[in-house]
Amino acid sequence: MPAHSPATANPLDRERAHLASSRAALRAMREDVQALDIRDVTGNWVNAAILAREIDDRIKALADLADTPLFFGRLDFLHAPGADLAEGSEGERFYIGRRHVHDHDGDPMVIDWRAPVSQSFYRASKKDPLDVGLRRRFGYTGGELTAYEDEHLTDPEEQTGTSALLAAEIERPRVGPMRDIVATIQPEQDEIVRADVHGTVCVQGAPGTGKTAVGLHRVAYLLYAHRERLARTGTLVVGPNRSFLQYIEQVLPALGELDVAQATVEELVAHVPLRGQDSPEAAGLKGDARMAEVLRRAVRSGITMPTEGCVVVRGSRRWRVASYELEEIVRELMNRDIRYGAAQAALPQRIAHAVLVKMEQASEAPDDRVQDAVARSASVKATAKALWPPVDPAKLVLRLLSDPEFLARCAEGLLTPEEQAVVLWPRPGRSVKTAAWTPADAVLVDEARDLVERTPSLGHVVLDEAQDLSPMQYRAVGRRCTTGSATVLGDIAQGTTPWSTDTWATALEHLGKPGSRVEELTTGFRVPGEVIEYASLLLPEIAPDLAPATSIRDTADSLAIRRVAPVTGATGAEDASALDAACALAPATPPALTDAVVEACVAALGHEGSTGLIAADARIPVLAAALEAAGLPFLDPGSETSADARLTLVPASLAKGLEYDYVVLDEPAAIVDGEADLRTGLRRLYVCLTRAVSGLTVLHARPLPEALAL
């Protein structure tokens, strides 16, 4: 690689000079794009607008983020790429960063982390150096290069160990939205990131293993390696809620990718206005895979067999298609099992074709224009409509959920009468606009729409927190990538819905990607070992088939568990049995606990980084009032920015996927009680316990769940 920095005695100064030169080159690249004149390039205003938008996106992608390192590593190869190793050719040097940067001659100054040559930065090791003589990592404070660390991978005398700079980057305090992890990707993560675009990958990842970041970086990699294809077909990230999507939304733009859509499942299926809420039992049944067949029957329920023929008048001639011929056409379309709407459009043409055959048998010579005219004739259109009537998906589902007799016909042999009674609305819906639609109902409407008309497919879909989806929700997401691929991310142990999946094989079957590759990440990089070991005590009860996660971080004093006296005069040091007795008499949420939680938040805010106060949803108003009374500003999940307060008040139901440097966890028993059953409650608690990056403080007045009792 050509030298772009002056030779000085201090290696750190040389690296800083290269950083300055690289930033200058990036500015020049951006200025070149800004200077483009497209006034006489395009032939019309439409092409001009498209090109202008692409140029604007390119300018945004070339922005130099002052507080973000432009490159984070360096590779010194022993030989030139592709050279015969026996020739002893001199190797090359590459700086690895977030995006490609070249000088005015086109020579690379920084190599994109997604380029093939960059793979060695993540996968080279003492055991397999991949022809890398030196791997250098850089340390930054803000955007300033302050340190470097070398690994001589071919030196047998050099001892290997955990990289101090790598550990520092992993443990760097988190303020604001989620960051990218390009500087810290591990070999097992890199293998998933660079998996082929044609295959679907499912990642089972314990808390802190970086599965969400891996999924987002996989999108960035695929857009780099297959940009033309994915620019044409589109990419999508599906998250569990809008707060989660706001938390991760800056990762891809920081990597230069601006055109990746983000949505929740509810937003994907937003065909009807949501006004109602199902009971867990009703939502579970509506999300059951059996409902797909119920809907298929409902969509086809209006198809009828003819009782009389169809007569077409052409000039002075009358042509008749007998009822048995019409029945053959209808049954043939039914047996093909094509989309209902496609068959509906094909039926008039099939009837018209039968008429043309009769015309030809009568020695006439009709052409395609005659067939089209016959298909559009009033008699053919009326016959087709009577045999294969149009279907409005929302109105169909409205009828299905409001009409017991119609549901019984469509669900015969699939749902028991008791299950049908649960699925039916308590009050029949009068119209699509006024009905009390629920989120589960909207998924049924989406299924019905796809039965009528095919849902467009994207090139790649990332589905995060996938363990919480129902079979029907999996089908809804799968429809968006029928001709594309998917990255499925989740953790069976964190499933907190009544219908959460117990096996990835079943989930992938519903998604339409059976037999896809499943990878498991068990090494944690974010959650301290002491914290993940404590949370893993719940695994035998919530996910007995999963192995406990481990952590590379052995942070001392990262976990504190404190019992707060539920009544005045009691102390945390009192006999446990006395406290249990007091709990039976005291309020479920004594003021002493709230006061202790506020004090713990003040203590956590004394450290650098972000603090999350996680509590049962029912406790949020009480804690919000207490924080306001104490003068502690706080944010809602997903609204964090580096310029705002460092404390976030997090309902337990929204904690999934979020991370904070320090977490104060309020009353675990209340979190468990907030769910429909014990197992779901313990899974919710497992999620909340594993949100801390540096320290976790658990405060409780009531007894802890048995598995966590120390």
Side-chain angles (χ1 to χ4, degrees), residues 314 348-349 352-353 356 367-377 380-381:
R314 292 285 299 173
Q349 289 289 339
H353 177 72
L356 259 65
D367 56 19
D368 291 343
R369 291 173 297 177
V370 174
Q371 179 169 331
D372 289 339
V374 171
R376 292 194 302 268
S377 66
V380 171
K381 289 169 64 177

Side-chain angles (χ1 to χ4, degrees), residues 359-396:
M359 290 181 177
E360 291 170 349
Q361 291 172 346
S363 300
E364 293 193 13
D367 56 19
D368 291 343
R369 291 173 297 177
V370 174
Q371 179 169 331
D372 289 339
V374 171
R376 292 194 302 268
S377 66
S379 59
V380 171
K381 289 169 64 177
T383 298
K385 184 176 181 180
L387 300 179
W388 205 288
V391 168
D392 181 299
K395 290 181 179 179
L396 180 83

Side-chain angles (χ1 to χ4, degrees), residues 332-355:
E332 191 270 334
L333 288 173
M334 291 179 66
N335 292 335
R336 288 187 60 190
D337 202 28
I338 60 177
R339 291 295 192 283
Y340 186 90
Q344 182 188 8
L347 182 55
Q349 289 289 339
R350 296 296 180 88
I351 296 173
H353 177 72
V355 172

Side-chain angles (χ1 to χ4, degrees), residues 293-302 391 396 400 406 410:
E293 177 60 22
V294 173
L295 286 167
R296 194 190 74 84
R297 294 179 184 179
V299 166
R300 289 172 164 246
S301 63
V391 168
L396 180 83
L400 190 70
F406 183 54
C410 297

Side-chain angles (χ1 to χ4, degrees), residues 402-419:
S402 302
D403 185 343
E405 293 183 2
F406 183 54
L407 176 61
R409 290 200 304 272
C410 297
E412 184 180 1
L414 296 172
L415 302 179
T416 66
E418 293 76 16
E419 289 174 327

Side-chain angles (χ1 to χ4, degrees), residues 271-589:
H271 309 303
V272 291
L274 301 184
R275 295 190 179 88
Q277 195 66 40
D278 283 311
S279 67
E281 185 181 8
L285 281 171
K286 291 177 181 178
D288 194 292
R290 292 175 291 172
M291 290 301 297
E293 177 60 22
V294 173
L295 286 167
R296 194 190 74 84
R297 294 179 184 179
V299 166
R300 289 172 164 246
S301 63
I303 300 174
T304 58
M305 293 302 160
T307 57
E308 58 183 26
C310 174
V311 178
V312 178
V313 178
R314 292 285 299 173
S316 60
R317 300 291 301 270
R318 293 164 60 88
W319 306 95
R320 178 181 177 81
V321 181
S323 60
Y324 74 89
E325 294 176 284
L326 292 174
E327 182 174 344
E328 289 177 358
I329 294 172
V330 171
R331 291 195 181 281
E332 191 270 334
L333 288 173
M334 291 179 66
N335 292 335
R336 288 187 60 190
D337 202 28
I338 60 177
R339 291 295 192 283
Y340 186 90
Q344 182 188 8
L347 182 55
Q349 289 289 339
R350 296 296 180 88
I351 296 173
H353 177 72
V355 172
L356 259 65
V357 170
K358 296 179 183 298
M359 290 181 177
E360 291 170 349
Q361 291 172 346
S363 300
E364 293 193 13
D367 56 19
D368 291 343
R369 291 173 297 177
V370 174
Q371 179 169 331
D372 289 339
V374 171
R376 292 194 302 268
S377 66
S379 59
V380 171
K381 289 169 64 177
T383 298
K385 184 176 181 180
L387 300 179
W388 205 288
V391 168
D392 181 299
K395 290 181 179 179
L396 180 83
V397 177
L398 177 76
R399 181 188 174 193
L400 190 70
L401 299 177
S402 302
D403 185 343
E405 293 183 2
F406 183 54
L407 176 61
R409 290 200 304 272
C410 297
E412 184 180 1
L414 296 172
L415 302 179
T416 66
E418 293 76 16
E419 289 174 327
Q420 294 173 30
V422 173
V423 168
L424 283 167
W425 284 340
R427 296 181 181 178
R430 293 174 179 260
S431 72
V432 171
K433 291 184 178 180
T434 62
W437 297 101
T438 69
D441 298 335
V443 179
L444 300 182
V445 174
D446 191 72
E447 179 84 22
R449 284 171 62 94
D450 186 71
L451 289 167
V452 174
E453 184 176 351
R454 183 182 299 276
T455 304
S457 175
L458 299 166
H460 192 79
V461 172
V462 174
L463 175 60
D464 206 350
E465 301 298 347
Q467 73 280 344
D468 280 336
L469 269 61
S470 70
M472 294 299 287
Q473 288 175 321
Y474 279 119
R475 290 174 62 88
V477 175
R479 284 191 283 278
R480 272 75 185 177
C481 56
T482 50
T483 59
S485 56
T487 300
V488 181
L489 312 167
D491 180 10
I492 298 295
Q494 296 185 55
T496 52
T497 57
W499 47 84
S500 57
T501 188
D502 287 325
T503 68
W504 289 120
T506 301
L508 291 168
E509 185 79 31
H510 294 312
L511 191 69
K513 307 292 183 183
S516 295
R517 166 183 166 193
V518 178
E519 297 286 346
E520 186 170 3
L521 298 177
T522 58
T523 302
F525 304 98
R526 298 294 297 171
V527 183
E530 192 176 13
V531 173
I532 194 64
E533 287 176 11
Y534 181 65
S536 295
L537 295 174
L538 296 172
L539 286 179
E541 295 188 45
I542 62 176
D545 294 333
L546 292 184
T550 59
S551 176
I552 65 169
R553 299 177 54 215
D554 187 15
T555 307
D557 301 322
S558 58
L559 174 66
I561 305 168
R562 177 185 168 198
R563 186 159 195 186
V564 180
V567 292
T568 303
T571 67
E574 286 191 40
D575 181 75
S577 60
L579 281 176
D580 288 344
C583 284
L585 300 174
T589 55

